[in-house]
Amino acid sequence: KTRRLFQHAIAQSGAVTNQVLLERNSPRWTPMLQQLASSVGCPTDTNLVQCLQSVDNARLAALDNMFYEPIVDGPGGCVPMQPALACNTSVRHAPFLMGVTKDEGMAIFDMNLPGIDKELALRDGIDFNVAMKITTMMLMKLYPGPDQPFTSLFTPEQMQFVLQNYYKHPEDSFDNLRSLMSFVRDALFVSQTQQAAGSLQQPTSRNDTFLYQFVYRDASYPEEPFPMGPSHAGELKYMFEECSTSEKNLCNSIIHAWATCAKTGRPSF
């Protein structure tokens, strides 16, 4: 029904094929919905949808600790199949611009992860066991089993690879924080974006695909315990000209790239 509506596409800070951000039968959906309803004074009965539609958008956007995940709900649903499968089958043939930021891993501070408090993590780092619990949870979702979220197909060899390449100093709480951020960046954003781009660039897809990495960090990002930024979605504010005088050229470049992609299907910097 929507195939004729989209001529060009832009995916910022990741790709829709990200398995970690997709659910197939989430037991967390109901309590999250109840929490959302309670936060804005809505009932959880059949009047919920009507009540939420009456809530001001700014109020919903301002809610803290609300992290949503799209659900693959099968044929006839809003998301009928895994987007990764759609990339190789019924995807609309259209030019696609997608990119990531240098420190996408800072998203851990916005994901309601167990044991992660931004203020405490920046001050004290994180325990190795906490980092391992989160890493294991994400690996289980990256390699889901048939009845996900209860089973997974990831192997001990994959965990060993992660330990050898990321968590080299488990006794160092700040290195654990840096390692977890690096793992999240690579596993959830960089690799998923590269895989999506690869699928869309197959000879049979006829898609022009463009990739970018945003690396500029301004003074708002933490310097301690180590320099961070730009974070997940860090380039968006420059799209809306939220920049200083010295950043004007940066704003113009990003706006021009996205605008030319939307207009012609080929970004120009």
Side-chain angles (χ1 to χ4, degrees):
K1 294 180 180 180
T2 62
R3 289 178 66 85
R4 296 178 181 273
L5 299 180
F6 300 94
Q7 304 303 317
H8 311 132
I10 299 175
Q12 163 268 334
S13 263
V16 295
T17 53
N18 194 329
Q19 293 279 6
V20 173
L21 300 181
L22 289 167
E23 294 284 2
R24 281 190 289 164
N25 186 24
S26 177
R28 296 194 298 160
W29 188 87
T30 298
M32 288 175 67
L33 181 60
Q34 292 172 339
Q35 180 185 353
L36 170 62
S38 176
S39 298
V40 295
C42 285
T44 56
D45 56 21
T46 56
N47 297 315
L48 172 61
V49 173
Q50 183 178 0
C51 179
L52 288 177
Q53 289 174 339
S54 69
V55 177
D56 184 73
N57 289 339
R59 186 180 178 191
L60 291 173
L63 292 175
D64 291 328
N65 300 320
M66 297 298 294
F67 186 74
Y68 306 103
E69 299 169 341
I71 295 177
V72 178
D73 42 12
C78 182
V79 185
M81 70 173 69
Q82 289 284 347
L85 297 177
C87 280
N88 297 313
T89 55
S90 59
V91 68
R92 170 78 165 88
H93 301 303
F96 207 144
L97 171 65
M98 62 180 72
V100 295
T101 66
K102 182 177 179 292
D103 266 354
E104 295 279 3
M106 290 185 71
I108 64 171
F109 298 128
D110 302 313
M111 297 172 68
N112 287 341
L113 296 173
I116 298 295
D117 177 275
K118 183 176 182 179
E119 183 177 347
L120 294 178
L122 293 179
R123 187 189 70 188
D124 304 326
I126 59 174
D127 183 77
F128 176 68
N129 291 326
V130 171
M132 279 293 93
K133 182 177 180 180
I134 296 171
T135 300
T136 301
M137 176 183 71
M138 292 187 177
L139 282 170
M140 290 182 68
K141 295 190 69 174
L142 283 169
Y143 302 97
D147 58 342
Q148 185 255 12
F150 304 105
T151 64
S152 176
L153 302 179
F154 91 90
T155 65
E157 289 76 17
Q158 289 167 327
M159 176 59 79
Q160 188 63 31
F161 174 87
V162 171
L163 291 172
Q164 291 175 347
N165 288 275
Y166 291 93
Y167 298 101
K168 298 181 179 180
H169 305 285
E171 73 287 350
D172 186 334
S173 61
F174 290 119
D175 189 72
N176 292 333
L177 174 60
R178 188 200 306 268
S179 298
L180 177 60
M181 289 173 57
S182 297
F183 170 77
V184 169
R185 176 199 64 205
D186 294 345
L188 271 66
F189 297 98
V190 175
S191 66
Q192 301 292 316
T193 300
Q194 290 175 335
Q195 289 175 18
S199 296
L200 293 170
Q201 276 291 87
Q202 295 298 322
T204 57
S205 71
R206 306 188 303 279
N207 288 314
D208 289 326
T209 305
F210 308 90
L211 295 174
Y212 72 84
Q213 182 187 39
F214 185 75
V215 300
Y216 175 76
R217 63 184 300 269
D218 60 34
S220 67
Y221 292 109
E223 288 285 349
E224 299 294 340
F226 46 83
M228 301 181 189
S231 63
H232 178 58
E235 75 274 42
L236 270 188
K237 68 176 185 178
Y238 301 103
M239 267 295 298
F240 299 97
E241 297 188 296
E242 295 181 19
C243 49
S244 64
T245 302
S246 63
E247 296 169 335
K248 193 65 177 178
N249 287 338
L250 174 63
C251 277
N252 290 339
S253 294
I254 295 176
I255 292 171
H256 186 69
W258 284 34
T260 52
C261 181
K263 181 179 181 179
T264 70
R266 183 170 292 272
S268 174
F269 290 89

